[in-house]
Structure formats: C-alpha cells, structure tokens
C-alpha cells in the first residue's frame, strides 16, 4: 500500500511540476517556430521537472541546515502548493481513448508482468551492493543532516552525488509512514515505465511514429541465451554468467537492468534521455534561454551519476557541433554553462574537500566485468540488426531531425573507445576507474540503439504493410516474441532468487522486516549517535542502513583499512589511525545475550538465530 501511495504521490507531483515547467517551455518553443511537445515528451519532461524539484529541495535542505527533509511536514506542504498552482493553470483531463492506447496498455501489462510481478509475489526487490549505502545516506538526510556523510564517526565525508538520495528523501516525505526501502521499490516501478519512454521520445525526434516500437525494444528485447537456458535463468553476478552477457545483471543489454533493484545509473539514464530531448529542441529553436535550460538538465544528470555526466557532456558537445548551423560557440557556451552551474551545486564542495583532504582514495574493492565487444553486442539479440538498420536509415537521410541521434551516437562511441583504452592502459582516472568503465557506457548506447531500432522497425513495417499486410503483422509478432522470450525466462530466474532470499535479495527476510529486532533497534538511533555492535558486522551495517547511525566498529573483509569507505585520503588515514589506536566512543552498544533478561536494555530480540539487546553505552 505504501508503494502505491508513493507512486500516486510521485505521479501527481510530477504532473504539477510538468505543468509549471511546460507552460514556459511551450511558449518559448512556439515563439522560436517549433512545435508543441507531444504527450510522450510532456510525460518525460514532467519526470525531469520532478527531478528538478528534488534538486531545489536538496539545495534548500543544505541552506537551511537540514530542515527541508528533516522536518516531516515541509515537503508535503510544498508539494500541495505546487499542485494547487498547477491545477489553476491546467486542470487534468482524461484523454479520449484511441487505438494507440490499447497498444500502450499491452506494453504496460507486459512490462509489469515481467519486471514487477516477481517483486509483488516474493517481497522486497532491494539487493545488497550499492543500495545499502543509499539507504543509509537517505536516512541521514531524513534525520536532518545537511548532506549525507556515511557511517564513519568524526571523519566521515561522502563524495557520492546526492541527487539520487534527494529523490528518495522526497518520495519518503511525500507519504508519511514510508521509508527509503519503500522508496526503492517505488523507484523501480517508475524505471520500468520511464526507460522505455525515454527511448520512445528519442526515436520520435526522427520519426513521430517510431515511439511505440522503440519503447517495446528498449523494455522487452533481450538476447538469445534463453535458447539454452531452460525455463528460468538469471545470474545476479556477472562473473557467474552462464549465457554470455544474456540473462545477467550489468549486461550491455539494459533490458536486464529493468529488473530490481533500482540504481542511480538507471535514474541518470532517464534524466539523460529527457535532457537530450530538451537540448535537441533547444538547439533546433536557436533560443539561448532554452539552450541554458537544456544544459542545466544535462548538469542534473551529474547530480545522480558522474559517469553518466561524461556521456551527457559528450552528447551535448556533439549535438552543438553537428546540429547547430551557426553560432556553434555561443550555443556550446550556453549549454555547457548551464550544465556547469547545476553540477557545481554538488561538485563545488567536493572539489574543495578534494583539495583540502589530499585527493581521493580508491574505495572500489573490485571493478565490474567488462565484456568483449562480440559478447556484448550478441546480448542485444534482435535489437542489434534493427539498430544497425536504423543507423543506416539515419545516415542515408541526413536531415535535420536525424542529426541529434547521430551526434549522440558519435559521442558515445568516442567515450566507449576511451573506456577500452582505460582498461588496456590501466588508467587510474584519479582513483575512480568507474568513470570510464564499460559498464557505464553501455546503457546510453543501448538507449540510442533502441531508438534507432524503433525507427528501422517502423520503416520496415510500413514498407511491408503496403505490400503484404499479413506478412508485416506476422513478422512484427515474430520479432516481438523473439525479444520478449529472454526477459520472461529471466523473470522466472529472478523469482527463484527472491523466493529463496539468495544472491543479496535479503530484505524480505524475517530478520529485516518491519517489527524485527533490527528495525526496532534502528528506530532508536540517528546520525548523531555512535553505536558499537559486538559480534556482527552485518547487523552493524544494517543499523546504519535503517537509521543513518555512525558505527564505532566495522570490518569489511574485502578491504584492508578504511573499511567504512571514506573517500578523501586524509580523512581515511585519520580514521584508520583512530580505529587502530583508541577507537571511537559509542553512545549505544548492541550485543548478544543468552536470552531475555532485565537490564537497562532499550530493545531486545532475535537476529540471525541469536538473541541481542540494544543498551546505552554508559549502562
């Protein structure tokens, strides 16, 4: 129910944000001789406007010292005021049902059945890895920390972009009683809809009829590994992949990223698609203010994912050079200037601390798998020949409408070449190799591939339909079935992982659900507290995830020193010295006990088949 409430709240607020933003954008686009946005574009820009609201709220949160997200009633009050303003400008109207809405309903049913139903049936889709950090960082915002700092006491400082956490915090505050874990589930549902929508809007830049095909291919076209896989197969670890880059997370085919959990790179991919749409329209219109807005949207991508910002910059520069006929320098300056201003909201303080604390240290225990090119492209399945055909169509018809996609494709190929060079030459990239990791380059390429494939599919279908309608329909059905087979098989494999709570899908286990000892103990803690957990590093880190508390002790077996992953060199060294010397004084202690006893405990209960208690450190 809380997921449904968050989803409804997000849709209403995103609609309001879109109404306010599009009122001005429509006027400026029409004044520049452009066409009004279609319904698909309006929906995607509304999602981007919601991100803009979250950024504004986060800036206000920082300026007020933690009030915006720290005080429960502030965000709902702002949201209600925004909805009232939007309603007065444009009351929502139910669209007249048309034939195209039946196709959209079928697409929505297929997406929900494959990517969402396994979670509904099995419990939480949140997984170990990066989400635990995002849970804890978001809790710190909700408890009133101006910026998330992480679990390290005294010397903790976080250099991860706060855009994703500001979205989660906004979603939590919109629905009283919800939490970041619920927000992750809601975010996953939004991703299922918005990634295909982004592909559709990019395809519609070239051909207004190509949107549905691009959305289908972006969301439901997997590889051919299912031929050898059996009825259910899904690998949650790329190093254990059994079918090349098919049926595995972190695949070059982003279809498999539509499975849970929701991660910042997927949210940034949506922002990238929306910003690209904005920038294409702005450059086509020649309006400098629109170009500044388009650049600001590109900068917002970096507030969620810095590696994705590299793609945003590459696409922006390429679009300015290829799509603008005159004043390329001024257009580029406007776009990059807008991006720098927005990105500096986070990057400015980080750069200051980078200089102040002697740079970054590498906190990545192991880089992800980088697939060889043949294996990677093979995972695209039926999408690959369609994408190649679409690129051929764009090149054969070098019209103005084709240039944005071709420019973006050129920018992504350049970055992909740099990522190959980084791996071959072992570039350190200032202690952050993930900036040029191939895994960060494939999602944008896949988005472009789906858009190009959608154009090719529509052209091919139209050509065949004019000659043999039955053949066109039959071939279209075959293409759809060949693509959807792999996601269906993967959904069965994921359901098994969720049911058995394996491969990190642990958040529906009895030890972690609402009312468990861990959740009750976390409710007494906050980022202002330091807790020492005796005998379970797993429990310690879970308490951070669900309260944002600081940890007096923690050991990550993958790391030697700096177990709490402090990003700055000097602070990491200071934390190591303090940890080895006299340690950190706790406010609370969590320890195993023989059973229920009368002490000064705050909470008692079971975790991992042991009995535990939370007590004040001075007790």
């Amino acid at each position: 129910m809380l997921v449904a409430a968050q989803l409804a709240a997000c849709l209403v607020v995103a609609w309001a944000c879109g109404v306010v933003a599009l009122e001005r954008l429509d006027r400026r686009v029409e004044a520049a001789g452009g066409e009004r946005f279609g319904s698909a574009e309006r929906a995607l820009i509304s999602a981007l406007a919601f991100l803009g609201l979250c950024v504004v709220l986060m800036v206000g949160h920082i300026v007020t010292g933690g009030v915006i997200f720290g005080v429960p009633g502030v965000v709902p009050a702002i949201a209600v005021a925004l909805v009232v303003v939007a309603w007065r400008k444009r009351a929502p109207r139910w669209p007249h049902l048309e034939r195209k809405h039946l196709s959209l309903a079928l697409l929505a049913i297929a997406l929900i059945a494959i990517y969402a139903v396994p979670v509904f049936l099995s419990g939480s889709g949140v997984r170990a890895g990066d989400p635990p950090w995002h849970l804890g960082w978001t809790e710190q915002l909700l408890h009133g920390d101006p910026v998330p700092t992480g679990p390290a006491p005294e010397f903790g400082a976080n250099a991860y972009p706060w855009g994703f956490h500001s979205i989660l915090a906004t979603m939590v505050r919109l629905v009283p009683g919800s939490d970041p874990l619920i927000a992750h589930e809601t975010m996953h549902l939004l991703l299922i809809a918005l990634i295909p929508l982004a592909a559709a809007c990019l395809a519609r830049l070239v051909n207004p009829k190509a949107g549905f095909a691009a959305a289908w291919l972006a969301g439901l076209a997997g590889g051919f590994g299912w031929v050898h896989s059996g009825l259910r197969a899904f690998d949650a670890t790329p190093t254990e992949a059994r079918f090349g880059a098919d049926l595995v997370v972190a695949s070059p085919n982003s279809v498999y990223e539509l499975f849970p959990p929701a991660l910042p790179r997927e949210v940034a991919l949506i922002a990238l698609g929306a910003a690209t749409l904005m920038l294409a329209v702005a450059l086509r219109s020649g309006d400098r203010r629109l170009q500044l807005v388009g650049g600001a949207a590109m900068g917002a991508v970096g507030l969620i994912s810095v590696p994705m910002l590299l793609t945003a910059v590459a696409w922006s520069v390429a679009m300015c050079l290829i799509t603008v006929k005159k004043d390329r320098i001024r257009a580029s300056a406007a776009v990059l200037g807008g991006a720098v201003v927005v990105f500096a909201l986070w990057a400015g303080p980080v750069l200051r601390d980078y200089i102040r604390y002697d740079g970054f240290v590498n906190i990545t225990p192991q880089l992800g798998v980088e697939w060889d090119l043949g294996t990677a492209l093979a995972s695209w399945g039926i999408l690959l020949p369609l994408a190649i055909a679409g690129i051929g169509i764009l090149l054969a018809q070098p019209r103005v409408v084709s240039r944005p996609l071709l420019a973006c494709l050129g920018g992504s190929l350049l970055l992909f070449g740099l990522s190959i060079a980084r791996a071959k030459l072992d570039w350190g990239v200032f202690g952050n190799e993930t900036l040029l990791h191939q895994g960060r380059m494939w999602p944008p390429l896949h988005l472009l591939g789906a858009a190009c494939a959608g154009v090719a599919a529509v052209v091919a279908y139209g050509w065949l339909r004019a000659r043999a309608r039955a053949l066109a329909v039959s071939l279209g059905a075959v293409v759809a079935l060949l693509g959807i087979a792999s996601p269906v098989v993967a959904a069965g494999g994921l359901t098994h992982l969720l049911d058995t709570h394996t491969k990190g899908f642990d958040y529906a286990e009895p030890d972690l659900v609402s009312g468990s000892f861990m959740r009750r103990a976390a409710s007494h803690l906050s980022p202002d507290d330091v807790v020492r957990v005796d005998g379970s590093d797993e429990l310690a880190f879970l308490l951070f995830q669900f309260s944002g508390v600081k940890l007096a002790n923690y050991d990550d077996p993958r790391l030697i020193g700096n177990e709490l992953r402090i990003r700055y060199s000097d602070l990491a060294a200071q934390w190591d010295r303090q940890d080895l010397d006299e340690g950190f004084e706790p406010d609370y202690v969590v320890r195993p006990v023989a059973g229920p006893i009368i002490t000064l405990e705050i909470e008692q209960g079971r975790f991992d088949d042991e009995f535990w208690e939370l007590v004040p450190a001075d007790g």
Side-chain angles (χ1 to χ4, degrees):
M1 291 300 295
L2 289 175
V3 172
Q6 277 195 354
L7 185 62
C10 288
L11 292 177
V12 170
V13 175
W15 165 80
C17 292
V19 168
V20 174
L22 284 162
E23 182 189 34
R24 292 175 177 263
L25 288 174
D26 281 337
R27 287 203 301 263
R28 298 202 71 86
V29 169
E30 289 178 346
E35 298 180 0
R36 291 177 65 89
F37 293 110
S39 57
E41 289 78 11
R42 297 182 78 87
L44 186 61
I45 290 175
S46 294
L48 183 65
F50 181 81
L51 168 61
L53 171 66
C54 296
V55 171
V56 170
L57 292 175
M58 182 65 194
V59 173
H61 183 77
I62 295 171
V63 171
T64 59
V67 170
I68 301 296
F69 295 128
V71 177
V74 175
V75 172
I78 294 172
V80 168
L82 187 62
V83 170
V84 170
V85 170
W87 192 285
R88 290 179 176 178
K89 290 179 179 293
R90 182 179 178 179
R93 302 173 184 173
W94 290 104
H96 296 292
L97 292 180
E98 301 175 14
R99 187 174 181 180
K100 66 179 181 180
H101 292 126
L102 175 61
S103 300
L104 291 175
L106 292 175
L107 175 60
I109 291 170
L111 290 169
I112 293 171
I114 292 172
Y115 300 112
V117 167
V119 181
F120 294 153
L121 295 178
S122 307
S124 175
V126 180
R127 186 186 177 211
D130 289 342
W133 292 88
H134 300 309
L135 288 171
W137 284 328
T138 305
E139 285 286 357
Q140 291 181 333
L141 290 181
L142 295 171
H143 280 87
D145 279 6
V147 292
T149 56
E154 297 185 32
F155 307 111
N158 173 29
Y160 197 99
W162 39 248
F164 185 66
H165 314 126
S166 70
I167 299 173
L168 295 179
T170 300
M171 294 164 69
V172 172
R173 285 305 183 214
L174 284 174
V175 179
S178 62
D179 57 36
L181 191 66
I182 297 295
H184 267 80
E185 308 288 6
T186 306
M187 181 69 76
H188 173 233
L189 293 177
L190 293 172
L191 288 176
I192 293 172
L194 291 175
I195 288 180
L197 178 62
C201 289
L202 292 182
R204 282 165 57 88
L205 286 172
V206 178
N207 186 333
K209 297 180 179 179
F212 178 79
W216 182 279
L217 292 166
L220 295 169
F224 295 130
W226 58 272
V227 175
H228 306 288
S229 67
L231 294 178
R232 64 181 189 186
F234 187 67
D235 296 314
T237 305
T239 54
E240 300 175 0
R242 295 166 289 168
F243 311 101
D246 287 354
L247 301 168
V248 62
V249 299
S251 169
N253 187 334
S254 290
V255 158
Y256 305 109
E257 311 315 314
L258 292 177
F259 289 108
L263 294 171
R265 65 171 175 262
E266 284 96 44
V267 179
L269 184 65
I270 295 167
L272 176 65
T276 303
L277 169 66
M278 284 282 301
L279 188 55
V281 172
L283 292 175
R284 192 180 298 170
S285 71
D287 188 305
R288 287 284 179 265
R289 291 189 179 180
L290 280 180
Q291 290 166 6
L292 279 169
V293 173
M298 286 295 193
V301 174
L303 298 179
I304 303 170
S305 169
V306 176
M308 204 66 75
L309 177 69
L310 294 184
T311 297
V313 171
W315 287 14
S316 299
V317 172
M319 289 172 69
C320 288
L321 294 178
I322 294 176
T323 65
V324 179
K325 294 183 178 180
K326 59 181 180 179
D327 291 335
R328 289 191 177 99
I329 301 300
R330 291 183 179 179
S332 299
V335 171
L336 294 178
V340 167
V341 168
V342 173
F343 184 58
L345 296 173
W346 167 80
V350 170
L351 179 60
R352 177 200 62 202
D353 289 341
Y354 179 89
I355 297 171
R356 181 182 177 188
Y357 298 123
D358 195 29
F360 291 149
V361 293
N362 192 346
I363 59 173
T364 303
Q366 182 180 356
L367 286 175
V369 169
E370 294 186 299
W371 308 96
D372 66 81
L373 187 58
T375 303
L377 290 176
S379 73
W380 284 24
I382 197 69
L383 177 66
L384 180 61
L386 287 172
I388 294 172
I391 294 171
I393 292 172
L394 267 60
L395 290 172
Q397 300 176 352
R399 299 172 298 165
V400 173
V401 292
S402 301
R403 290 174 184 168
L405 285 189
L406 290 174
C408 294
L409 182 62
S412 273
L413 291 176
L414 174 62
L415 285 178
F416 190 79
L418 290 174
S419 71
I420 294 175
R422 179 209 57 78
K424 297 289 186 183
L425 301 176
D426 197 26
W427 292 345
V429 198
F430 306 104
N432 195 349
E433 292 93 334
T434 56
L435 283 174
L436 286 174
H437 188 273
Q438 285 186 28
R440 303 302 189 270
M441 305 303 159
W442 279 115
L445 275 169
H446 184 265
L447 189 68
L448 292 176
C452 294
V455 173
V458 167
V459 171
Y461 180 81
W463 187 87
L464 278 174
R465 189 172 184 273
R467 291 159 177 79
R469 181 171 182 174
L471 179 61
V473 173
S474 299
L475 286 178
V478 169
V479 169
L481 291 174
L482 284 175
I484 201 173
S486 182
V488 169
V489 169
L494 176 67
T495 300
H496 174 69
L497 297 179
L498 292 171
D499 286 340
T500 55
H501 305 301
T502 51
K503 299 297 183 180
F505 290 101
D506 303 325
Y507 287 85
E509 283 191 332
D511 282 341
L512 278 65
V513 297
S514 180
S516 64
F517 165 74
M518 185 278 297
R519 296 288 287 269
R520 287 184 283 111
S523 69
H524 296 281
L525 304 173
S526 77
D528 294 329
D529 301 320
V530 178
V531 65
R532 188 186 78 230
V533 180
D534 297 333
S536 177
D537 292 310
E538 178 188 4
L539 178 55
F541 202 69
L542 283 167
L543 290 173
F544 160 70
Q545 295 173 50
F546 285 88
S547 69
V549 72
K550 300 293 192 296
L551 303 180
N553 60 319
Y554 182 72
D555 179 40
D556 187 334
R558 297 172 297 174
L559 298 172
I560 300 175
N562 193 26
E563 281 89 348
L564 293 178
R565 302 192 191 188
I566 301 170
R567 199 68 178 88
Y568 299 102
S569 179
D570 282 351
L571 295 180
Q574 292 179 56
W575 184 87
D576 280 338
R577 286 194 296 270
Q578 179 89 0
D579 186 52
L580 291 172
D581 187 11
E582 57 190 40
F584 299 91
E585 190 68 26
D587 300 299
Y588 296 94
V589 174
V590 176
R591 61 195 182 193
V593 291
I597 55 176
I598 300 175
T599 63
L600 295 177
E601 84 283 348
I602 299 173
E603 289 288 354
Q604 287 187 342
R606 288 193 171 277
F607 177 82
D608 197 21
D609 294 327
E610 289 189 84
F611 210 84
W612 299 77
E613 66 176 3
L614 168 68
V615 298
D618 58 5

